[in-house]
Amino acid sequence: MSVTATATGAADLCVKVGPVFFWSSQLILAIVLNVFLNAVLIGAYAARLAGVMTGRVGTSISLFNLFVTFSRFANMFYAPMLGTISDRASKVAVCVPASAAETTHLFEMQMRAIILAGTLGNLIGALLLPTFAYMFVRGVGAFERRGSIPRALARLANPRVIADILRTVRLPSLDIFRRFRLRDVPTKLLVGNMLVTGIYAVGVVAAYLASVIRPDVARTALSASGLVNGIATIAFALVVDPTSAYIVDQAAKGERTLHDVKTMVVYLGLTAVVGTLASQLILVPAALFIGGAAHLINAPR
């Protein structure tokens, strides 16, 4: 493509650029999706508890992995929404250089709103952990009767089942910290869970922020969110998952009580909320890290 053609394309692009507002349909949809997906992800912790309650630890772990995989895979469904928002911000930054800093700041605030939505989703999931535990207990029973996960999940469409689930919804009482003591849960598990949820919360949004901060390597930055999420995945596989599974195994063998597992599940939910709140602090550093890595990858050899 010639320089003239490139300049003409850039001029056409700038003609189509309109004002940028904080709220848009794409941002609202991304926020709603992130609330739902994070609530489901935290609710999946209750599968560990259901395993001990039913004595079907293997089946419950399978359900746990299914829900975690679904939630993390579905995180990519709102990526196109982020792409639309970042494209708009990038166009304005290129076409109106004087407003580049203001546009970048506005985009950063939009990304922070999406992370905050994830925190809200984690809080909702934590509050509904007893309901999720009930759902998993019923799910294990349905799987044993039908021998199929899809058929067991199809039971959720039954109005009677939905009504039964809604009747179990209860907000936790205020004495939760007295009944469930923090010292009964391994510190490394809680710290690891905070790190995992905090880092994972910023993986995708940091990549999009990096693409606006460093437009010269935008495409490389967008494909590099795995640099951040990979750290969270490794931490989850090395610390959170095996430690929580070990506690469940101990309870299944009678070496721990059901109360110990309930305590673990409660604090996994609460530390996930704290982790996503803390992720606000690492959003910009993560974006700069991704942008710097993208620049190194693109450096001439």
Side-chain angles (χ1 to χ4, degrees), residues 43-299:
Y45 289 147
R48 305 286 197 190
L49 178 58
V52 178
M53 294 172 66
T54 61
R56 303 292 189 268
V57 176
T59 302
S60 297
I61 290 177
S62 179
L63 289 174
F64 169 80
N65 291 332
L66 174 66
F67 273 71
V68 169
T69 301
F70 163 76
S71 180
R72 293 188 171 173
F73 172 75
N75 267 319
M76 301 308 298
F77 279 93
Y78 72 84
M81 309 303 159
L82 302 186
T84 301
I85 301 169
S86 66
D87 283 345
R88 190 177 299 123
S90 297
K91 289 175 185 177
V92 173
V94 170
C95 298
V96 191
S99 67
E102 180 182 353
T103 301
T104 301
H105 177 70
L106 178 64
F107 183 72
E108 179 188 331
M109 292 302 102
Q110 290 173 321
M111 297 300 99
R112 291 190 183 280
I114 290 174
I115 295 175
L116 186 60
T119 303
L120 176 61
N122 286 345
L123 180 59
I124 293 172
L127 292 174
L128 294 179
L129 277 171
T131 301
F132 277 108
Y134 176 75
M135 289 174 59
F136 279 114
V137 168
R138 292 200 58 153
V140 169
F143 173 73
E144 290 185 338
R145 290 191 301 271
R146 288 166 174 76
S148 168
I149 289 292
R151 290 181 180 177
L153 292 176
R155 289 276 296 162
L156 293 175
N158 188 319
R160 292 176 56 187
V161 173
I162 295 174
D164 286 342
I165 292 173
L166 291 177
R167 280 195 288 268
T168 68
V169 176
R170 298 285 189 280
L171 291 179
S173 59
L174 296 178
D175 66 344
I176 183 173
F177 295 106
R178 180 180 60 82
R179 291 187 296 117
F180 301 107
R181 298 175 299 180
L182 183 62
R183 65 174 180 267
D184 292 336
V185 186
T187 301
K188 69 175 182 178
L189 174 62
L190 300 181
V191 173
N193 194 53
M194 281 191 290
L195 288 174
V196 167
T197 53
I199 295 173
Y200 198 84
V202 301
V204 175
V205 293
Y208 279 93
L209 180 57
S211 72
V212 174
I213 295 175
R214 299 292 300 269
D216 55 319
V217 290
R219 290 178 177 82
T220 305
L222 288 174
S223 63
S225 62
L227 291 173
V228 177
N229 286 346
I231 297 174
T233 301
I234 292 172
F236 181 81
L238 291 179
V239 179
V240 179
D241 192 43
T243 304
S244 59
Y246 178 62
I247 292 174
V248 170
D249 284 344
Q250 286 182 309
K253 292 187 295 184
E255 298 173 3
R256 282 180 177 265
T257 65
L258 177 62
H259 183 78
D260 290 336
V261 181
K262 289 182 178 179
T263 302
M264 177 192 72
V265 170
V266 166
Y267 282 105
L268 283 177
L270 292 178
T271 52
V273 174
V274 175
T276 50
L277 277 174
S279 67
Q280 298 279 1
L281 300 175
I282 64 173
L283 172 60
V284 173
L288 294 175
F289 169 70
I290 292 176
H295 177 73
L296 288 175
I297 293 172
N298 278 275

